[in-house]
Amino acid sequence: MNFLAAAGARRLCAMRAVFPYLWRGKYFSSGNEPAENNSVTPMLRHLIYKIKSTGPITVAEYMKEVLTNPAKGYYMNRDMLGEEGDFITSPEISQMFGELLGIWFISEWIAAGKNSAFQLVELGPGKGTLLGDILRVFSQLGSLLKSCDISLHLVEVSQKLSEIQALTLTEEKVPLERNAESPVYMKGVTKSGIPVSWYRDLQDVPKEYSFYLAHEFFDVLPVHKFQKTPHGWREVLVDIDPQVSDKLRFVLAPCATPAEAFIQNDETRDHVEVCPEAGVVIQELSERISLTGGAALIADYGHDGTKTDTFRGFCGHRLHDVLTAPGTADLTADVDFSYLRRMSQGKVASLGPIEQQTFLRNMGIDVRLKILLDKTEEPSLRQQLLQGYNMLMNPMKMGERFNFLALVPHQRLHGSNHQTNARQSKPSPSPVAGFGELAWR
Ligand code: SAH
């Protein structure tokens, strides 16, 4: 069966934004970008008050407050994705991205023995565009999935974005159930009849057989920054500038701080960023996958434990000084994939990280592009498809900087879940799609 032809062949989605919008993996911050917005934001006032009362704060605390403080956090009350926002992501650029990810999940579901039910869990679903594209593939391949009981589980801290996700995904005629006090703060039904639930924390998602997806999620989790000094590692902190009372600046902690425990003993870099929260999420995913099966697909910009200073800000598709006008700009740091792999602690097998261009090519993006181009003669749509492909695949754009990592149960690679060929004594597991050749060829 040609999944790529079947998956949404009749649907070409409406125009999506392409140029000249900025994707977050693009630049590295020197920390010296000109301050463009000097206004004293409510978040700046809150941070100054906090620092005055308890002393300088870690970069991780700064990032957490600025991004997800329930009242004033950057992510909580705004739509930052797309041309009107601050940055753009792959699913917002091209429908092909989500379609190929949808095929990846189906491929894994088949390879693991077509469980009678699965949960699809997305961490940080943005506008819900990626899930929308994945669900379209599930509908197109409905005959395959018809006896499978699917449910959607969205882990999202932002009230505003969860409302946008509901608009993108759910059936208007079925009212959403809301309960701000409950760990499941919203429930609905998708346009194709799949139950969908919203949570603020992965811990609250039922521990059932699941496929997990995290696209540009780990890069917003708070990082601690450290600098090597003659006295050992010292943590970078955020303090009030003594020269200008409503301005923040970086300082070094005078002595060792607890997060130093996250630095490897044999570390050779002189600046490092560590993200304990990412470790907690990976441990939880690994634990779940090792107990119940399923898989996780993680895609982000990042490195394999080699980069030093990647903490940066974005506002209105431009690089933004991380300490200026906090709460008005996105903050992010490259994901350390070597740390994520380490934190899976051998409970699951990990594949990758591999570059986005390799993953999408292995998933058949060239065939998919051709199918979509053959379906339309509209010049602007053809142009948009080609530009989107270029943006996702070009090594100078998102092709090299973005990476894919998969976590699968050990038995998935050793075959004990997979059907045994009657004539063979050993099972023959299929390769994991995207990380090798296309599995169904
Ligand atoms: N995956 C989407 C959006 C990426 S932006 C895309 O690729 O287009 C980051 C997303 O993570 C947003 O939805 C943001 O609200 C959410 N987010 C940020 N911090 C979070 C946290 N601690 N827990 C859950 N979601 C979080």
Side-chain angles (χ1 to χ4, degrees):
M1 176 172 185
N2 186 342
F3 285 73
L4 291 169
R10 277 159 285 151
R11 277 287 294 280
L12 190 61
C13 290
M15 289 288 279
R16 295 190 192 190
V18 182
F19 281 116
Y21 309 114
L22 186 67
W23 61 98
R24 290 189 295 182
K26 192 171 181 189
Y27 297 115
F28 296 108
S29 167
S30 64
N32 297 320
E33 291 77 33
E36 277 161 22
N37 181 351
N38 283 317
S39 62
V40 179
T41 57
M43 176 57 72
L44 179 60
R45 274 196 294 273
H46 163 71
L47 290 166
I48 286 175
Y49 181 74
K50 190 178 168 81
I51 294 170
K52 273 186 180 156
S53 35
T54 57
I57 56 174
T58 64
V59 171
E61 207 177 335
Y62 177 76
M63 227 175 142
K64 198 178 176 80
E65 276 298 304
V66 171
L67 295 182
T68 56
N69 175 294
K72 309 180 189 79
Y74 169 80
Y75 274 107
M76 305 317 271
N77 301 305
R78 72 178 73 208
D79 172 12
M80 68 297 297
L81 283 146
E83 59 192 282
E84 302 288 306
D86 296 320
F87 59 90
I88 185 123
T89 58
S90 294
E92 303 296 331
I93 290 169
S94 174
Q95 67 181 82
M96 291 185 286
F97 187 82
E99 290 168 349
L100 296 174
L101 266 52
I103 291 173
W104 191 87
F105 287 112
I106 293 179
S107 158
E108 273 310 290
W109 171 74
I110 294 172
K114 296 190 185 170
N115 225 58
S116 60
F118 69 81
Q119 304 188 140
L120 180 59
V121 183
E122 186 174 2
L123 308 177
K127 292 188 181 199
T129 310
L130 180 51
L131 271 181
D133 289 335
I134 290 174
L135 290 184
R136 199 174 56 257
V137 171
F138 286 7
S139 294
Q140 296 288 337
L141 299 176
S143 56
L144 247 181
L145 291 165
K146 66 175 179 296
S147 49
C148 182
D149 199 358
I150 302 175
S151 56
L152 287 189
H153 303 263
L154 279 60
V155 180
E156 176 58 82
V157 282
S158 164
Q159 182 62 35
K160 173 80 180 175
L161 287 177
S162 65
E163 295 297 334
I164 298 177
Q165 290 151 17
L167 270 179
T168 310
L169 298 169
T170 61
E171 172 56 72
E172 271 169 49
K173 289 183 206 116
V174 184
L176 291 162
E177 277 174 50
R178 293 165 204 273
N179 182 352
E181 307 304 313
S182 162
V184 193
Y185 64 86
M186 202 158 75
K187 278 185 183 181
V189 177
T190 69
K191 289 167 186 155
S192 50
I194 296 175
V196 48
S197 310
W198 278 262
Y199 314 76
R200 292 181 193 88
D201 197 322
L202 171 63
Q203 305 274 355
D204 296 320
V205 175
K207 289 184 168 61
E208 306 286 345
Y209 182 87
S210 301
F211 292 104
Y212 299 92
L213 171 61
H215 180 253
E216 293 215 30
F217 168 74
F218 282 95
D219 67 277
V220 300
L221 298 183
V223 293
H224 291 265
K225 284 177 76 68
F226 285 90
Q227 190 176 318
K228 202 177 256 171
T229 74
H231 315 289
W233 289 104
R234 287 292 177 267
E235 185 157 7
V236 178
L237 304 176
V238 177
D239 196 2
I240 300 163
D241 190 332
Q243 316 280 315
V244 193
S245 61
D246 56 5
K247 198 166 175 275
L248 299 173
R249 63 163 188 169
F250 288 121
V251 293
L252 281 186
C255 51
T257 47
E260 188 185 322
F262 291 95
I263 304 177
Q264 296 274 90
N265 289 336
D266 56 357
E267 182 56 67
T268 53
R269 291 169 289 175
D270 54 8
H271 283 82
V272 287
E273 292 165 344
V274 290
C275 185
E277 246 184 70
V280 171
V281 175
I282 289 290
Q283 281 175 340
E284 172 78 18
L285 291 177
S286 305
E287 180 82 19
R288 285 167 173 250
I289 293 168
S290 68
L291 289 175
T292 60
L297 188 62
I298 295 161
D300 228 306
Y301 43 87
H303 57 91
D304 227 11
T306 50
K307 294 221 163 121
T308 53
D309 177 19
T310 72
F311 181 41
R312 58 199 184 280
F314 288 98
C315 184
H317 299 271
R318 300 187 64 178
L319 207 56
H320 180 94
D321 182 274
V322 288
L323 297 184
T324 299
T328 63
D330 184 34
L331 299 178
T332 168
D334 279 22
V335 173
D336 179 350
F337 284 99
S338 68
Y339 176 70
L340 300 193
R341 279 203 316 271
R342 229 172 23 250
M343 293 318 282
S344 70
Q345 295 172 323
K347 290 193 178 121
V348 287
S350 62
L351 294 108
I354 61 166
E355 288 171 0
Q356 172 156 304
Q357 56 174 343
T358 311
F359 178 84
L360 294 179
R361 184 155 288 130
N362 287 342
M363 288 304 301
I365 192 170
D366 295 293
V367 181
R368 184 68 186 138
L369 175 69
K370 185 171 181 319
I371 291 167
L372 289 173
L373 286 173
D374 288 347
K375 300 273 165 206
T376 180
E377 294 191 341
E378 169 63 45
S380 59
L381 274 178
R382 290 177 66 85
Q383 159 105 337
Q384 187 238 346
L385 283 168
L386 290 165
Q387 281 189 342
Y389 174 92
N390 182 257
M391 190 91 142
L392 297 183
M393 296 293 285
N394 188 330
M396 307 301 288
K397 296 179 179 165
M398 300 167 104
E400 265 181 9
R401 191 156 282 169
F402 283 73
N403 289 275
F404 280 75
L405 174 76
L407 305 177
V408 296
H410 286 293
Q411 53 283 27
R412 165 70 180 89
L413 299 186
H414 301 119
S416 58
N417 261 1
H418 200 69
Q419 283 175 345
T420 309
N421 181 323
R423 279 175 301 170
Q424 291 176 328
S425 55
K426 278 189 174 173
S428 52
S430 53
V432 175
F435 295 85
E437 75 218 72
L438 215 54
W440 46 79
R441 281 270 165 84

